[in-house]
Amino acid sequence: MGNGFKIVGPALLAALLSLSITAQAKAATAKPMECPAKTFEGFLEKFAEDIELQKKHTKFPLPNSDVNFRGDAERALSPVTQEAVEKDQFGLFPSKKIRSKEGLDSMDISDNGAVQKLVTVYREGSDYVLFFQFTAEKDCWRLTRKYSVVTDEQ
């Protein structure tokens, strides 16, 4: 009759079911981004020491800015791309070793809204300050913005 439906042959039906099952199996085996720690502090400790983890848990291109507190201005720098990180193999967040070498002896973590953390890394008694904004996404954290302080003398 003219109901618009066609009878699907057994071979076609089997092929369609096979495609559906294959797609479901792939979706089931696709691993979500695993969080390396249950707390933000634990995550940050591992994030700082592992460049591969930094690449995995960073939103690219990463907005990057200089903030001039004396001039009360913010200057946007070129965003950090994943390609630049791959090419140069530099970390986005300073490891303990780098912080020690650069004299970045202090680090503060503060809430920046319901799903954000702001990490401030700095040298006591100086204008050397770095800010890193992390956002909660899919049961873990991602680096979503980077700032550095610039003074008029620099």
Side-chain angles (χ1 to χ4, degrees), residues 101-130:
K101 180 181 172 188
E102 296 291 322
L104 295 166
D105 46 13
S106 298
M107 183 166 43
D108 295 328
I109 300 170
S110 57
D111 290 330
N112 191 23
V115 295
Q116 292 185 335
K117 300 276 187 186
L118 184 65
V119 178
T120 309
V121 180
Y122 57 99
R123 182 184 300 149
E124 285 285 340
S126 80
D127 291 334
Y128 190 4
V129 183
L130 303 171

Side-chain angles (χ1 to χ4, degrees), residues 55-56 58 60-62 80-87:
K55 289 184 219 173
K56 221 185 268 187
T58 297
F60 290 106
L62 180 65
V80 178
T81 64
Q82 189 165 5
E83 293 77 23
V85 175
E86 295 283 345
K87 179 182 170 196

Side-chain angles (χ1 to χ4, degrees), residues 18-146:
S18 173
L19 286 174
S20 175
I21 290 169
T22 301
Q24 290 172 357
K26 283 183 181 178
T29 59
K31 292 182 181 177
M33 185 175 9
E34 293 182 26
C35 201
K38 293 183 184 209
T39 65
F40 178 75
E41 291 77 8
F43 165 81
L44 186 62
E45 186 176 316
K46 291 179 181 183
F47 183 87
E49 302 303 319
D50 187 340
I51 291 175
E52 288 304 313
L53 192 65
Q54 290 180 26
K55 289 184 219 173
K56 221 185 268 187
H57 289 274
T58 297
K59 185 176 180 180
F60 290 106
L62 180 65
N64 189 20
S65 303
D66 280 342
V67 179
N68 185 334
F69 285 120
R70 294 194 181 140
D72 199 28
E74 182 176 336
R75 178 175 55 115
L77 303 173
S78 296
V80 178
T81 64
Q82 189 165 5
E83 293 77 23
V85 175
E86 295 283 345
K87 179 182 170 196
D88 296 333
Q89 288 296 307
F90 66 87
L92 297 162
F93 190 92
S95 66
K96 277 186 182 180
K97 183 178 178 179
I98 299 285
R99 292 192 311 265
S100 176
K101 180 181 172 188
E102 296 291 322
L104 295 166
D105 46 13
S106 298
M107 183 166 43
D108 295 328
I109 300 170
S110 57
D111 290 330
N112 191 23
V115 295
Q116 292 185 335
K117 300 276 187 186
L118 184 65
V119 178
T120 309
V121 180
Y122 57 99
R123 182 184 300 149
E124 285 285 340
S126 80
D127 291 334
Y128 190 4
V129 183
L130 303 171
F131 298 96
F132 301 88
Q133 179 179 298
F134 290 85
T135 303
E137 291 183 10
K138 300 179 186 171
D139 297 330
C140 201
W141 296 93
R142 290 185 84 186
L143 176 61
T144 54
R145 189 168 182 118
K146 181 180 171 186

